[in-house]
Amino acid sequence: MTTAPPARVRPYVLPTAEPDRNQPALARLRHIADRVTASAPTNIGFPAATDIDYRPLWPLLGQLLNNVGDPQTDPLHPQHTHDLEREVLDFLAGLFRAPAGWSGYVTAGGTEGNLYGLWLARTKLPNAITYYSTATHYSVPKACRLLGLPTVEVGILESGEINYADLVHQARRYRGRPAIVVANIGTTMTEAVDDVSTIHTALDAAGITHRYIHSDAALAGIPLSSVAQRPGFDLADGADSISVSGHKFLGTPLVCGVVIARRGIEELAPHVPYLDSRDTTISGSRSGLATAMLWYALQTLGPTGLARRAGHARALANYAHRKLQASDWPAWRNPYALTVMLRRPPTDVAQRWPLPTQGDWSHLICMPGVTATQIDHLARDLTASRLI
């Protein structure tokens, strides 16, 4: 019996690019780059560090890096950075004093970290009431709606910190049910910090035995970790989970975050044969490139470098506070905050300086990369606005 010769497979040839077709797209991208660059000198109202050079990661931009599945197990496909993710998690678990048996992963940002923490809380305490303050990030009530969690909003102190007396009052109304509390570790507007230890004391006073506390530490978690006399906010202080953003204090060019919990929930993590990994995360496919950026920043800086950057940022915030006061512009700042509150600027100044505003107050944030020169220019513009 004779067999037919194998069919000849013609090699695949990439189509020739049409140079003219790329020009409009490149021009559009150049326009965006120019717009972003031009806004940098006055863009001090939003939390994004700019002092870390991520260009050494350029060789990875041509690769798809998909960290799908549980970070503790390498997936079947080779295009991942799970090894780097494990090092990132180990570093931050140490920074936030996680006990043995902790779990976590690199998220798509603070919103996912909050959703994950509340998901764990609901699973452990399915009949719980969720408490959060009026200064809580908008992602928290959204996550509660997604998870079907009943909620109670708690008042705040003038600083933006949760009102512990009101927490006691509200929790007593539901003393027969467990409590889930979201602690703000740096509120969006004033960077106020809710003390986790004091939250536990408030729940004790309310007669609540079963509880879960999630720390939303998107901005302040990493810089606060180096402060000796600081409010309680991490897992050693009594938090059950904590989430931080990577694109804020570390300034990663890709939006991302990290969540660390005391323990994961194994029954919610089935093995997926297609991946040869457990499904322990909320998002399936996750950015391996963002993980590489986090790893690069943490490896380059280390604990000492992170503490030094945080100290410089706090010193600049103190300078900004004093500079505004010296300019007779009302300003104040919470302890250890990188955020400085200032009386709302007039319209002409606000058009040049896009500072987030709530009521009569705006804020600036002295992220790593912000300079004293920028603070001086803002103070000068505020002073000049009085003379018009």
Side-chain angles (χ1 to χ4, degrees), residues 176-367:
R177 298 176 67 173
I180 299 169
V181 182
V182 177
N184 297 311
I185 313 305
T187 56
T188 305
M189 196 64 196
T190 69
E191 204 179 323
V193 177
D194 300 339
D195 190 294
V196 169
S197 302
T198 309
I199 289 174
H200 276 291
T201 301
L203 294 177
D204 289 340
I208 304 293
T209 302
H210 301 291
R211 63 191 67 165
Y212 185 107
I213 299 178
H214 172 71
S215 288
D216 176 6
L219 168 60
I222 295 177
L224 266 182
S225 66
S226 61
V227 175
Q229 303 297 323
R230 58 168 175 77
F233 75 91
D234 67 14
L235 280 76
D237 294 313
D240 294 285
S241 54
I242 184 170
S243 59
V244 296
S245 295
H247 53 284
K248 291 181 178 174
F249 189 70
L250 296 178
T252 57
L254 289 178
V255 175
C256 61
V258 175
V259 63
I260 303 287
R262 288 183 177 275
R263 291 191 63 83
I265 301 182
E266 289 73 15
E267 62 267 25
L268 297 180
H271 181 267
V272 181
Y274 171 74
L275 305 174
D276 194 21
S277 175
R278 290 190 306 145
D279 182 22
T280 58
T281 64
I282 288 179
S283 51
S285 295
R286 297 179 294 111
S287 174
L289 181 57
T291 292
M293 290 175 176
L294 288 169
W295 177 87
Y296 176 76
L298 296 175
Q299 287 292 313
T300 301
L301 294 168
T304 302
L306 290 174
R308 185 184 306 114
R309 287 171 77 244
H312 289 330
R314 281 191 289 271
L316 183 62
N318 183 51
Y319 172 80
H321 182 201
R322 290 187 288 107
K323 183 72 176 182
L324 291 169
Q325 288 184 321
S327 302
D328 291 327
W329 200 269
W332 61 275
R333 169 177 168 250
N334 273 313
Y336 311 119
L338 313 186
T339 300
V340 179
M341 301 297 295
L342 65 151
R343 184 71 71 184
R344 182 177 188 155
T347 302
D348 60 323
V349 176
Q351 288 174 343
R352 293 193 297 275
W353 297 86
L355 304 180
T357 298
Q358 184 173 308
D360 293 332
W361 292 91
S362 300
H363 78 204
L364 62 89
I365 307 183
C366 294
M367 299 302 296

Side-chain angles (χ1 to χ4, degrees), residues 52 54 57 83-92 250 291-306:
I52 301 176
Y54 285 96
L57 281 84
D83 51 340
L84 302 185
E85 184 171 5
R86 289 190 286 271
E87 293 185 36
V88 168
L89 296 174
D90 285 342
F91 186 104
L92 291 178
L250 296 178
T291 292
M293 290 175 176
L294 288 169
W295 177 87
Y296 176 76
L298 296 175
Q299 287 292 313
T300 301
L301 294 168
T304 302
L306 290 174

